[in-house]
Amino acid sequence: DIQMTQSPSSLSASVGDRVTITCRASQGISNYLAWFQQKPGKAPKSLIYAASSLQSGVPSNFSGSGSGTDFTLTISSLQPEDFATYYCQQYNSYPITFGQGTRLEIK
Amino acid sequence: EVQLVESGGGLVQPGGSLRLSCAASGLTFSNYAMSWVRQAPGKGLEWVSTISGSGISTYYADSVKDRFTISRDNSKNMVYLQMNSLRAEDTAVYYCAKGFMVRGVRFDYWGQGTLVTVSS
């Protein structure tokens, strides 16, 4: 199974900050990597697919990069609605696996 | 507008069975792979199962293999998860997700989830 490791596990930041979350795969997954945002009590929302493609309707202050084993999600200027938990997910092969999540909190 | 609405969750005793349903609307249902992903209380996301658009191909996490069965009815825009031999560790919110089969499966839209509690 491919293990996905996110860092950090939690992060405190302020509105307007630039934030980067990292996701590392235990083996190469090309660009078969997605990012999701989840708010408490809500379903996950798709942000990024194919490592760097923005899902329709997602604000452009979100961006993704990487290939192979190392990936990043960047929020260029944090907005109040961006405070949530973020997950990466590999879809290179079954079983599908997720990172453990990064909780982004208001400083 | 795409809508995925899960139902069928509830309280069940260990060893019992439950069938979850997911009703889809606002999409050409048979064009999409459908999956179940669960989230135990306070924990992260765990993929459970995926079925191809045609229903021919199915995939399962090892943790549920031989206990859970995914199926779909494209004439009704429904996907199901039959869960047998339930264990306490199956307690979770179960999300239905639509997506694309690209090597694995890429999710692009999720339902709001249904809670399954396995307890005596």
Side-chain angles (χ1 to χ4, degrees), chain B residues 81-93:
Chain B
L81 186 68
Q82 178 66 43
M83 304 186 296
N84 298 332
S85 303
L86 282 161
R87 307 166 179 167
E89 55 264 35
D90 296 318
T91 294
V93 173

Side-chain angles (χ1 to χ4, degrees), chain A residues 12-87:
Chain A
S12 295
S14 301
V15 172
D17 283 355
R18 179 184 179 91
V19 166
T20 296
I21 299 169
T22 298
C23 179
R24 175 164 288 176
S26 60
Q27 63 189 74
I29 58 170
S30 184
N31 68 336
Y32 296 105
L33 190 284
W35 289 97
F36 300 93
Q37 176 194 68
Q38 188 180 33
K39 296 181 179 179
K42 301 294 186 182
K45 173 186 174 184
S46 177
L47 299 175
I48 301 279
Y49 64 96
S52 60
S53 296
L54 206 63
Q55 188 73 33
S56 175
V58 173
S60 58
N61 61 317
F62 287 90
S63 63
S65 65
S67 183
T69 60
D70 294 314
F71 302 86
T72 59
L73 172 71
T74 299
I75 310 172
S76 61
S77 178
L78 275 173
Q79 301 302 303
E81 62 268 26
D82 299 334
F83 292 93
T85 299
Y86 293 85
Y87 294 92

Side-chain angles (χ1 to χ4, degrees), chain B:
Chain B
E1 180 189 1
V2 173
Q3 279 201 314
L4 300 174
V5 180
E6 301 94 335
S7 60
L11 176 63
V12 61
Q13 292 188 337
S17 297
L18 212 54
R19 188 175 90 148
L20 305 183
S21 301
C22 173
S25 60
L27 73 166
T28 304
F29 185 66
S30 60
N31 285 354
Y32 297 96
M34 298 299 295
S35 302
W36 292 94
V37 178
R38 68 186 180 183
Q39 187 169 36
K43 303 297 184 182
L45 301 169
E46 180 189 15
W47 169 76
V48 173
S49 184
T50 293
I51 187 166
S52 63
S54 65
I56 291 175
S57 300
T58 58
Y59 306 86
Y60 297 94
D62 284 347
S63 58
V64 306
K65 199 173 294 183
D66 301 326
R67 298 189 300 124
F68 290 11
T69 302
I70 192 170
S71 62
R72 65 190 295 158
D73 185 338
N74 286 347
S75 69
K76 296 181 179 179
N77 285 11
M78 296 289 295
V79 62
Y80 306 99
L81 186 68
Q82 178 66 43
M83 304 186 296
N84 298 332
S85 303
L86 282 161
R87 307 166 179 167
E89 55 264 35
D90 296 318
T91 294
V93 173
Y94 284 72
Y95 294 103
C96 171
K98 69 176 271 288
F100 304 88
M101 299 200 79
V102 181
R103 292 177 72 94
V105 61
R106 171 171 79 83
F107 312 116
D108 69 336
Y109 192 80
W110 303 58
Q112 289 305 302
T114 187
L115 176 63
V116 172
T117 303
V118 184
S119 175
S120 55

